[in-house]
Amino acid sequence: MAKIVDAEEQTAAILEDIEEPMFGVLDVVLLVALLGVAAWWLMRNKKADAALREKTYAIQPMAMSSAPQSTENSFIKKLKSSGRSLIVFYGSQTGTGEEFAGRIAKDGIRYKMKGMVADPEEYDMEDLIQMKTIPNSLAVFCMATYGEGDPTDNAMDFYEWLQNGEADLTGLNYAVFGLGNKTYEHFNEVAIYIDKRLEELGATRVFELGLGDDDANIEDDFITWKDKFWPTVCAHFGIESAGEDVSVRQYKLTEHIESIPDRVFTGEVARLHSLINQRPPFDVKNPYLAPIKVNRELHKGGDRSCMHIEFDIEGSKMRYDTGDHVAVYPMNDSELVNKFGTLLGVNLDTIITLTNTDEDSSKKHPFPCPCSYRTALTYYIDITSNPRTHILKELAEYASDPEEAAKLKLMASTCAEGKQLYSQWINHDNRNIVHILEDMPSCKPKLDHLCELLPRIQCRYYSISSSSKLYPTIVHITAVKVEYDTPTGRRNKGVATSWLAGKIPTDPNALPVVPIFFRKSQFKLPTRPQTPIIMIGPGTGLAPFRGFIQERDMAREEGKPIGDTILYFGCRKKSEDFLYEEELEEFVKKGTLKLHVAFSRDQKEKVYVTHLLAKNAEEIWNVIGENNGHIYVCGDARTMAHDVHGILLKVVQEKGNMTESEAAIYVKKMEAQKRYSADVWS
């Protein structure tokens, strides 16, 4: 309004200032009229702007409405349009949860419950409210627990929706199977919460919660649960089994023999030619081809190998923080891949496409297609892990020898004898799919069927062993090469580490490259460098702490005050596997680091980091009890991390003058405050 008032005041001033008529009456009238029109035009536009702003504000709540904004993310519409009543959601970080979900959906055919597999990240999960509109409908959740009791990346939004929402799920029938590991404190926490929360929101639990333990035999846990699940479902809905389980192919094969397609995948994760035409942002579906600048051996002796590898990310626009993880997409060993062609008499260079027979499925292909058998077996399919029971069941149909067929069927069964045989012949003897085909020569499955059955190969995660502040364009990892002999006399090799071991940079103009991306971690240094820390990392558990120490040393050299930086490191022998020995000792000399090292095999009785910790209760309490410091654990979850937790409880109880329950509460509070962090594996 300021401009309008000014115009009116100016007109009045002009009229008042006229002592002698410079203009005639008509001139004055015209001038006033023009100014009036100008004022009206300005007022009209301001009103229009205000109305537009008001209208925009009014429609904002509608945009945030819980109603689905499009049918693309409505699983209810898909279920109804395709006559399905079963949907199986999965929360999966390594692919096992997705695999189990697929097996349940496939089983549904036997029970006249046509099913679909769904990634909760791709759908509007508020549609669960509408499941009651589909007669005899059932939602199953195969949910893995990841990290410190967290949901997997693809289930995060769904998990938060359950936590924060109050949807009425009355009429929703559900069941939950959890995938976890008992060596971790938060065993199956996600599945337990989802099972409980769905009931609180009014849903009906059709079958009891299943808890799979990957530290023992998660396949056994799953098939035992599933064996009781379906009879209960049948009783609940009043349906009967359609009879014996029959093999139903999920994908249709097309072999491109006469004409090769223009677009053929050669190992890309998602986008065609993404490994040739690199463009950011780089992530799980679009990894960056990072040149390896350094690949050197860290062990000074012995029969084991540990590699220090440096990836160059300059110009990639990728950023990492100290403590994050780097993921590597590996390749299967070519010798193992070639055995498929020899054993099954197939030309591995044949270009194929596997297309989902379910037109409504969001997953059109099991992996990027078209591609050659060789590409699929090299880049996309896991051929080194121990096959699960449902694969053995399918293999039995291809065995012409009755004894071999019977053995495969027995191992695929849920009877005690079958479980025992599977545990011994597959798991204990460490047989992968190639070993099975070698040891059962009458078994000649179709290679395309194997490509359908076998799980996808997963990227491997490594703790970054460098500081992002010191090395912003270089990423370091510390990786032990996995290689061992099996009870059958075979030599098994770790997929990623054996592949990385061969990538030695010899020509600076032709460096070997590896597809990588970063995963954020909660494993972080305190924001204040003067906060004292204790780091416990035997073996390659040292990796993230190397980055922590580099960062602390950099702060010290910049003149910043740093708190006590204490490392507990353990290895077998000082002369063989003392990782980064010279580097760590230099940090000690400079006053950055206080180092405790346990050499387990340099004396008659074995000494581990836990022995050193138990002796240094005063030091531990000084850091975590008296100075509000942080403690970090990285490495083996099964024994080391478990023992460290027990020692901490004892220290807090004794030095803090607490009862056992008070000490447990104190340590729990440290975890909640991120003062006690673990980055462990089993």
Side-chain angles (χ1 to χ4, degrees), residues 272-290:
L272 191 72
H273 303 317
S274 63
L275 298 178
I276 300 171
N277 303 318
Q278 292 259 282
R279 59 172 183 258
F282 297 106
D283 53 29
V284 63
K285 292 185 178 180
N286 182 37
Y288 176 64
L289 275 180

Side-chain angles (χ1 to χ4, degrees), residues 270-529:
R271 178 174 59 87
L272 191 72
H273 303 317
S274 63
L275 298 178
I276 300 171
N277 303 318
Q278 292 259 282
R279 59 172 183 258
F282 297 106
D283 53 29
V284 63
K285 292 185 178 180
N286 182 37
Y288 176 64
L289 275 180
I292 291 180
K293 297 191 76 172
V294 175
N295 187 347
R296 61 183 171 88
E297 179 60 50
L298 288 174
H299 286 179
K300 302 182 186 76
D303 56 359
R304 298 180 306 138
S305 170
C306 184
M307 299 169 287
H308 170 85
I309 299 174
E310 299 182 10
F311 301 110
D312 187 354
I313 59 168
E314 188 168 10
S316 67
K317 297 184 179 178
M318 296 175 77
R319 299 288 181 269
Y320 74 96
D321 292 317
T322 309
D324 283 348
H325 301 127
V326 62
V328 171
Y329 274 106
M331 287 170 53
N332 281 315
D333 181 69
S334 59
E335 185 181 340
L336 206 58
V337 169
N338 289 334
K339 284 185 178 179
F340 282 93
T342 304
L343 290 166
L344 301 179
V346 175
N347 178 7
L348 298 182
D349 294 316
T350 302
I351 305 297
I352 63 161
T353 296
L354 289 176
T355 309
N356 204 322
T357 55
D358 179 1
E359 294 180 358
D360 296 309
S361 174
S362 59
K363 191 173 184 178
K364 299 302 179 187
H365 312 287
F367 43 76
C369 289
C371 68
S372 68
Y373 281 119
R374 188 182 306 281
T375 295
L377 294 167
T378 302
Y379 296 96
Y380 301 137
I381 298 173
D382 182 354
I383 61 174
T384 60
S385 62
N386 301 337
R388 301 194 190 278
T389 55
H390 70 291
I391 296 175
L392 303 185
K393 193 172 191 176
E394 302 277 2
L395 287 179
E397 303 300 317
Y398 293 102
S400 57
D401 183 315
E403 287 188 10
E404 291 180 0
K407 187 173 184 177
L408 287 164
K409 284 180 180 177
L410 180 61
M411 287 189 289
S413 71
T414 55
C415 70
E417 185 187 356
K419 288 180 179 180
Q420 175 59 35
L421 183 60
Y422 175 84
S423 178
Q424 176 65 42
W425 203 77
I426 298 292
N427 286 342
H428 179 267
D429 291 349
N430 253 314
R431 280 184 172 88
N432 61 38
I433 184 65
V434 171
H435 301 156
I436 293 171
L437 296 179
E438 287 176 335
D439 292 344
M440 293 191 165
S442 82
C443 186
K444 301 291 181 184
K446 293 180 179 177
L447 185 51
D448 64 287
H449 197 182
L450 275 186
C451 290
E452 174 182 322
L453 290 170
L454 295 172
R456 285 287 298 269
I457 193 170
Q458 300 296 317
C459 52
R460 269 54 172 179
Y461 291 97
Y462 298 93
S463 295
I464 294 175
S465 58
S466 54
S467 163
S468 56
K469 291 182 179 178
L470 192 62
Y471 298 101
T473 62
I474 299 288
V475 181
H476 300 181
I477 65 168
T478 309
V480 168
K481 185 180 177 183
V482 178
E483 205 165 339
Y484 59 93
D485 293 321
T486 73
T488 63
R490 294 179 169 100
R491 187 75 169 168
N492 276 6
K493 299 177 181 179
V495 176
T497 53
S498 295
W499 177 62
L500 287 170
K503 292 193 168 289
I504 308 295
T506 53
D507 182 355
N509 297 314
L511 296 173
V513 292
V514 172
I516 69 167
F517 65 93
F518 296 140
R519 181 176 71 184
K520 290 296 175 187
S521 168
Q522 298 301 314
F523 211 61
K524 301 297 177 193
L525 275 169
T527 51
R528 296 170 68 250

